[in-house]
Amino acid sequence: MSNFLIKRPQTIFNLFSSISKLNGVGEKRLTVLKKKIGPYIINILFYLPIKAIDRFQNTSLRTIEHGSIITCEVEVVEIIIPPFNFRKKNNISRIITFGLDQEKNIRLDLIYFGQNTKYLRNIYKVGNKIIVSGKFENFSGVGQIVHPDYVTTNNQRNLIPKIETIYPLFIGFNQKFISKLVSECLKQIPYFEEWLSQDTINKLNLPNWKECIVKTHNPNKMSDTELISNYRRRLALDELIANQISMLLIKSKISKEKTIKNIEKHDNILEKLYNLLPFKLTKNQNEVVNEILSDLHSNNTMIRMLQGDVGSGKTIVALITMLSSISDGSQSVLLVPTEILAIQHFNTINEFLKPLNINVCLLLGESKGSYNKKERLAIIEDIANGSIKIIVGTHALISEKVNYKNLSLAVIDEQHRFGVNQRVKITEKGSNVNILVMTATPIPRSLALTAYGDMNISTITEKPKGRKPIKTYVLPQSKIEDVLKSIKRAIENEALIYWVCPLIEESESTDLIAVNERFDYLKNYFKDCNISLVHGKQDKIDRENSMNDFKNGKSKILVATTVIEVGVDIPNATIMVIECAERFGLAQVHQLRGRVGRNDKESSCILLYKTELTPIAHSRLKILKDTNDGFVISEQDLILRGPGEVLGSKQSGNVDFKFVDLHVHSDLIELARKEASNLIKNDKERLKINTLLSIFENNEAIKLLKGG
């Protein structure tokens, strides 16, 4: 199935009909709905309620509490409706009612502001008994409902839903309109052939797909709306199966049978590298190297992820992998997301390989000019003829203009900045390309299985010997003077300091401190000290000069944006200051903090927060203060921010789930993997697979399989 392309089955065409055919959807509304929800009926079905209300949980005026929803029967005793005046928008109409039977002495007022008086006079008559439903408020001792949600007679009680689902709204649309749209779409769900195995259906007591969608929008009881309900678990399982099928298909697209290398016939290049290293690999690094070399010697191309905390020594493992791959004369590339990181890796690798007489080249985009057009073309030509064996670069490495003589390995660093599309593209640059992706952000197992189910995973948990834990301090912005004094003392002791700000310049929409403003402030404060500035909008040469000045100790403080988040390795930097730390994700702050503590010296990280912290922000900063363990932090980050934020914009497309909550449904992942494998093996007509992948088409891997 390596060449599998998704083809939408005819049986589900109706789900992809335009919502323009639905009642009440004119041209104006259509434009908004397309933008906010989506263009098709399936998008409406997947527009999930954010909560549900049990309208008949409270029916007594005697026991109802302020702010609760009540549905009760009352009698209208007085109608106070002023003459309607278009010029007066604050007309107040009051319908005075009293309860029935044991509650006939309890008053309930129905309040309307600016309501059309003719409409009110038509629905309210003195002496009428009505059922009213809405939010109860105690106003100066008198109960009231402002603009009731439902008003009807006893024989039309069924018009008030027992359990009402509430949808997220946007300007120009109310709950009743969205609910009507959903109801109309529910009637158009076609019959599906069951894709789950009968064994799984029986074991988990799962309803069919259609019933689950219906009950998600029209629950019979409040428990039907919970994430642990059988309806939601069934939909989550289906979505996970689609996810796992897409991962398996991508793997089959990338992974190929290959000729096994015989690296022993070459001149023991790895042994020479090991002898040159100024340190010994940790036990954990050696284990990971053996896993990778085993893959390189196997019958199929490698697709492996290497994850390890910041500073755990992934780069040397990557270099060993690259040297192993070029030992038969083929080529290796190291693909990185940013120019700064590319230059950093190039310099590091070049330094290691100089004694081995192995040429390494750096390839950046056409506009990135540390070399002229002629020099760049010469590098591309040398890559094409195979004279350069190791190439470090950015997205330029997968450009159509760049061809390889014999590419056998692609290492992708900081893989969360790249999508699955880039992984596939780089493998298409050679016939048997092994893939090693690296991340310094440890990924929780549930997230790794759903985002990277096509890969085997190696993990480095040990830190190199001699590394000390980074001391983290959390301080309000008002303490900045104390921070500056302590930094002054540190500079006198030859310390180098990172100072990170979130923005480049002031924005009207936020009060974050701009990096340029902070740079000017610190220059004025530390008059006798050189200070460097680095941000993404800088000229490349200026940025390189700033980094080099800081690395060489010519400048003592590097003021920067998050461009230094990954890859920047300056062992003598021992202090990290992060402003507005409450605005960052846990993993990102941990990444930034990892720029210090890269030697045997004491290092510290100061997290400054600008505003009064919310309970969640406080707990996030406390986690960072209490632990340096990236695996613990990543689990907490997933809980607080969700998979999309943790993985980054490129990779979040792989887990853009509608029904799955990884905290609640992680137990379904292994089952989903099993069901996905069974479907790929047994669904010879591919009808079930195509149905599943078409329904859950909102992920990057599936879009790629569609040829998009």
Side-chain angles (χ1 to χ4, degrees), residues 366-555:
E366 291 186 55
S367 61
K368 310 297 183 185
S370 57
Y371 38 55
N372 59 40
K373 188 174 182 181
K374 189 176 179 181
E375 289 171 329
R376 190 174 190 277
L377 288 173
I379 291 172
I380 291 173
E381 189 177 327
D382 286 342
I383 293 171
N385 64 36
S387 59
I388 296 178
K389 304 300 182 189
I390 293 181
I391 306 102
V392 179
T394 55
H395 287 77
L397 297 179
I398 54 177
S399 163
E400 290 182 11
K401 296 178 181 178
V402 179
N403 297 302
Y404 300 86
K405 172 84 171 179
N406 182 16
L407 181 63
S408 68
L409 172 72
V411 179
I412 303 174
D413 197 15
E414 293 309 316
Q415 48 71 39
H416 62 280
R417 305 285 186 92
F418 297 97
V420 66
N421 200 25
Q422 282 77 26
R423 291 210 299 272
V424 172
K425 276 186 177 179
I426 197 68
T427 63
E428 292 171 347
K429 292 289 186 179
S431 56
N432 292 301
V433 182
N434 296 289
I435 295 283
L436 178 67
V437 304
M438 302 196 299
T439 176
T441 306
I443 300 167
R445 185 173 183 275
S446 61
L447 194 49
L449 287 172
T450 51
Y452 307 108
D454 57 328
M455 300 184 198
N456 296 315
I457 297 176
S458 294
T459 303
I460 300 178
T461 54
E462 286 181 89
K463 290 280 183 75
K465 286 182 180 178
R467 296 281 174 92
K468 295 178 179 177
I470 302 162
K471 293 179 180 177
T472 301
Y473 304 91
V474 179
L475 299 170
Q477 192 77 27
S478 59
K479 297 278 187 183
I480 194 167
E481 188 63 34
D482 295 338
V483 173
L484 293 170
K485 286 176 182 175
S486 65
I487 283 176
K488 203 165 193 174
R489 291 191 295 272
I491 290 173
E492 289 169 1
N493 292 320
E494 300 301 316
L496 298 182
I497 294 97
Y498 290 104
W499 193 296
V500 177
C501 301
L503 285 183
I504 290 174
E505 55 195 22
E506 285 290 357
S507 166
E508 291 178 3
S509 62
T510 179
D511 59 354
L512 299 185
I513 296 161
V515 68
N516 284 324
E517 181 185 305
R518 180 56 68 205
F519 175 66
D520 292 337
Y521 179 87
L522 292 176
K523 270 206 311 182
N524 186 57
Y525 190 93
F526 297 100
K527 289 186 171 67
D528 300 326
C529 173
N530 285 332
I531 298 177
S532 295
L533 175 67
V534 168
H535 58 72
K537 292 185 180 178
Q538 248 176 336
D539 176 84
K540 176 181 177 296
I541 295 172
D542 289 342
R543 191 161 65 235
E544 271 190 60
N545 289 338
S546 290
M547 290 295 298
N548 288 332
D549 285 349
F550 183 61
K551 189 171 186 177
N552 298 328
K554 187 177 176 181
S555 64

Side-chain angles (χ1 to χ4, degrees), residues 635-679:
E635 289 284 357
Q636 293 298 318
D637 209 23
L638 178 60
I639 292 169
L640 292 170
R641 296 200 303 156
E645 290 294 328
V646 172
L647 288 175
S649 59
K650 288 284 186 183
Q651 289 297 341
S652 64
N654 285 349
V655 287
D656 187 16
F657 291 131
K658 292 288 185 186
F659 300 101
V660 178
D661 184 313
L662 289 174
H663 313 304
V664 179
H665 301 129
S666 60
D667 65 306
L668 297 174
I669 296 173
E670 290 298 341
L671 177 59
R673 289 164 73 84
K674 180 183 171 185
E675 290 284 323
S677 296
N678 287 341
L679 278 171

Side-chain angles (χ1 to χ4, degrees), residues 210-243:
K210 179 176 180 178
E211 185 182 353
C212 292
I213 289 288
V214 170
K215 287 294 188 287
T216 297
H217 294 286
N218 294 329
N220 289 335
K221 51 188 183 296
M222 288 297 286
S223 60
D224 292 345
T225 67
E226 295 174 0
L227 293 175
I228 58 171
S229 74
N230 273 5
Y231 302 117
R232 186 59 179 264
R233 281 176 63 79
R234 160 73 204 243
L235 294 172
L237 177 60
D238 293 336
E239 192 168 25
L240 285 168
I241 293 170
N243 165 267

Side-chain angles (χ1 to χ4, degrees), residues 114-263:
Q115 184 70 57
N116 187 306
T117 56
K118 186 178 179 182
Y119 164 78
L120 294 177
R121 291 184 189 281
N122 283 338
I123 64 169
Y124 292 110
K125 307 286 183 186
V126 172
N128 279 4
K129 293 178 181 177
I130 58 172
I131 295 177
V132 62
S133 183
K135 184 178 178 181
F136 178 86
E137 295 174 322
N138 189 322
F139 186 74
S140 300
V142 176
Q144 67 176 30
I145 297 176
V146 177
H147 287 269
D149 299 320
Y150 294 91
V151 177
T152 185
T153 55
N154 193 38
N155 60 358
Q156 292 183 311
R157 177 188 287 260
N158 64 322
L159 295 179
I160 304 176
K162 183 181 186 311
I163 308 294
E164 183 173 31
T165 45
I166 305 299
Y167 297 89
L169 296 179
F170 33 90
I171 295 172
F173 292 80
N174 59 30
Q175 288 294 339
K176 287 185 179 177
F177 181 78
I178 297 293
S179 296
K180 281 172 74 175
L181 279 187
V182 170
S183 295
E184 203 173 335
C185 291
L186 288 173
K187 295 171 186 173
Q188 302 192 44
I189 299 176
Y191 165 77
F192 290 146
E193 187 178 349
E194 182 59 72
W195 47 74
L196 287 183
S197 65
Q198 195 58 49
D199 183 53
T200 293
I201 292 171
N202 294 342
K203 192 174 179 181
L204 299 184
N205 190 28
L206 297 177
N208 64 51
W209 190 87
K210 179 176 180 178
E211 185 182 353
C212 292
I213 289 288
V214 170
K215 287 294 188 287
T216 297
H217 294 286
N218 294 329
N220 289 335
K221 51 188 183 296
M222 288 297 286
S223 60
D224 292 345
T225 67
E226 295 174 0
L227 293 175
I228 58 171
S229 74
N230 273 5
Y231 302 117
R232 186 59 179 264
R233 281 176 63 79
R234 160 73 204 243
L235 294 172
L237 177 60
D238 293 336
E239 192 168 25
L240 285 168
I241 293 170
N243 165 267
Q244 292 300 312
I245 289 173
S246 71
M247 291 291 102
L248 289 170
L249 293 176
I250 288 295
K251 185 171 186 175
S252 70
K253 191 178 178 75
I254 294 175
S255 184
K256 303 177 179 72
E257 286 190 15
K258 65 181 182 185
T259 304
I260 301 175
K261 287 187 179 186
N262 179 14
I263 66 169

Side-chain angles (χ1 to χ4, degrees), residues 476-477 511 582-583 609-614:
Q477 192 77 27
D511 59 354
E582 76 276 14
R583 307 291 183 97
Y609 59 90
K610 193 176 180 188
T611 56
E612 191 170 329
L613 293 177
T614 63

Side-chain angles (χ1 to χ4, degrees), residues 313-364:
K314 295 180 296 300
T315 302
I316 193 62
V317 172
L319 179 55
I320 292 167
T321 307
M322 288 190 282
L323 285 180
S324 299
S325 294
I326 67 167
S327 60
D328 67 346
S330 59
Q331 295 166 296
S332 293
V333 297
L334 175 55
L335 175 63
V336 298
T338 67
E339 189 184 330
I340 286 179
L341 183 52
I343 294 167
Q344 175 84 40
H345 274 316
F346 170 73
N347 290 335
T348 301
I349 291 171
N350 201 32
E351 201 65 34
F352 276 126
L353 298 186
K354 263 182 189 175
L356 299 177
N357 294 317
I358 295 173
N359 288 331
V360 184
C361 81
L362 176 67
L363 186 66
L364 306 175

